[in-house]
Amino acid sequence: MALTTSLLFVLTGLAGRSGADPGAEGCALPRHPVHHSLGIAPGDGAHPPGHPPTVGEPEAAMLFLSFPDAEPSRTPERIAASYFPATTDFLHRASYGRFRLAPEIDHEWLPMPLPSTAYDIGRDWTPRGREAYLRDALALVAAHRPHLAGVDILYLVADPTAPGVDADATKVVNLEHPVTVAGNELRRVVTLFEGDPPDRLVLAHETGHVLGLPDLYDRPQRPGGNWDRHVGDWDLMGSQFGMAPDLFGWHRWKLGWLDDHQVACPPAGGITLHALRPLAAPPEPGAGSGTDDTRMVVVRTGPSEVLVAEARLPIGNDRDLCTPGVLLYRVRSDVASTRGPIEVIDGRPDGAACHGRSVRPELADAPLDTGMSHRDPVSGARFEVGEREPGGGWWLRVTRP
């Protein structure tokens, strides 16, 4: 087809037209003082400031809280089995094996001093109820499990059958001022109030927050608003019920799961061609910095803004994906969690797909396929998708004014 011929022609004359490559660091964004900024600073990947290590195996623990107004009908082991190994496997795949979550599972219920109804548990938790709940829970940890107070990630699971437990209240509580528990400093706690079985991928979503990732869903100001308008099914930080919940490439780069050599940053004033490998494909054995393993193409569009292209296929965490292709999205590091720090670009604005399964059908078919293109109205950059490349992804031509 015409696009393929054009791409091959560009490949032969590419060197004289592309200019100097600024390197991946030229497309990293500055961090801003907003909640869960998506800025990337040197050295963030292995251990972002104020967060647990994102590479390797952090120390983690899951503890279980009961209440005097209910008798638990499930064992901690049964509840833990709803989260593990599913959460561990999801994050292992998303990190290409660089992150392993293997928490210590406590086997007893720790009795809270007050009835579950006394803590005002709900999605918009009152400060009084939240503070009382954490105070009592952390006191139990200090008294009965002091060796777990110093873990990197602490999951506190409430008895799901207690009458005051609201499954919609599950969240990471970020402490404005770290608290000391059994001689150890705690900055955040994952509080789980899920039913049985819990929501799909809920623990992977909350663990993403612990590692520093924002909520990508919207919080509508009026009833009936669309929570999924920013990213739809793409990335579980938007919806844990999405058909394509694997983490965006930008998130993986921020967490140190993608290396700089896997991120292409085309320079302004030229044309570049990229063999864009599937984001979810496992790394090739022995792959290193000299390997052509581009997983993400990033175009700088402003001081705190980039456009990202990545190849998404129905494999791995995305096995239920609706429409494969080259997905485009905009990242802004000066936008806070729930305010739209990432916006998926709809490559087929006149269409929709997977009604009844997708959380937002209008974006379920957003990726571009062979022969399709998109011109960014902000920067003038043009993305043209060619034939499939040998690694299973697509050839992508980027033209920058």
Side-chain angles (χ1 to χ4, degrees), residues 66-291:
S66 63
F67 304 90
D69 56 343
E71 181 69 28
S73 60
R74 297 158 179 80
T75 65
E77 291 85 355
R78 172 177 164 176
I79 294 175
S82 297
Y83 300 111
F84 300 103
T87 302
T88 298
D89 293 344
F90 182 95
L91 294 171
H92 189 267
R93 287 189 293 266
S95 68
Y96 311 109
R98 296 186 180 189
F99 181 81
R100 182 172 185 269
L101 183 63
E104 179 176 335
I105 305 297
D106 200 35
H107 298 292
E108 297 180 9
W109 289 100
L110 297 178
M112 293 284 276
L114 299 178
S116 61
T117 53
Y119 293 107
D120 300 326
I121 298 168
R123 183 175 186 90
D124 295 312
W125 218 350
T126 65
R128 183 189 67 83
R130 181 179 64 246
E131 290 166 9
Y133 184 86
L134 288 176
R135 181 189 63 239
D136 291 347
L138 295 179
L140 287 174
V141 176
H144 301 285
R145 304 291 188 270
H147 66 292
L148 298 179
V151 298
D152 297 311
I153 304 175
L154 179 62
Y155 301 106
L156 296 177
V157 183
D159 173 12
T161 62
V165 170
D166 178 0
D168 208 30
T170 290
K171 65 176 61 181
V172 174
V173 178
N174 295 286
L175 304 171
E176 185 176 355
H177 303 289
V179 298
T180 300
V181 181
N184 296 290
E185 191 177 82
L186 271 179
R187 293 179 175 271
R188 58 189 52 80
V189 179
V190 183
T191 53
L192 289 164
F193 300 101
E194 295 295 304
D196 184 22
D199 282 349
R200 175 177 181 252
L201 294 177
V202 63
L203 198 65
H205 175 99
E206 300 303 336
T207 303
H209 286 319
V210 174
L211 299 179
L213 301 183
D215 279 318
L216 301 183
Y217 57 75
D218 186 35
R219 293 205 66 176
Q221 299 300 309
R222 63 187 66 179
N226 195 314
W227 287 67
D228 302 305
R229 68 187 184 94
H230 294 311
V231 301
D233 294 272
W234 308 96
D235 198 298
L236 89 163
M237 301 311 295
S239 174
Q240 62 226 36
F241 301 104
M243 301 173 65
D246 217 350
L247 292 175
F248 285 128
W250 187 269
H251 282 161
R252 300 179 198 225
W253 190 28
K254 179 178 175 64
L255 297 177
W257 300 345
L258 279 177
D259 295 324
D260 286 357
H261 77 270
Q262 296 174 292
V263 180
C265 185
I271 301 173
T272 52
L273 185 68
H274 309 272
L276 193 57
R277 292 201 65 221
L279 184 66
E284 296 180 357
S289 59
T291 304

Side-chain angles (χ1 to χ4, degrees), residues 359-381:
V359 301
R360 185 160 175 74
E362 295 86 349
L363 291 180
D365 63 348
L368 303 172
D369 201 354
T370 298
M372 300 177 69
S373 65
H374 173 79
R375 182 184 179 278
D376 176 39
V378 175
S379 64

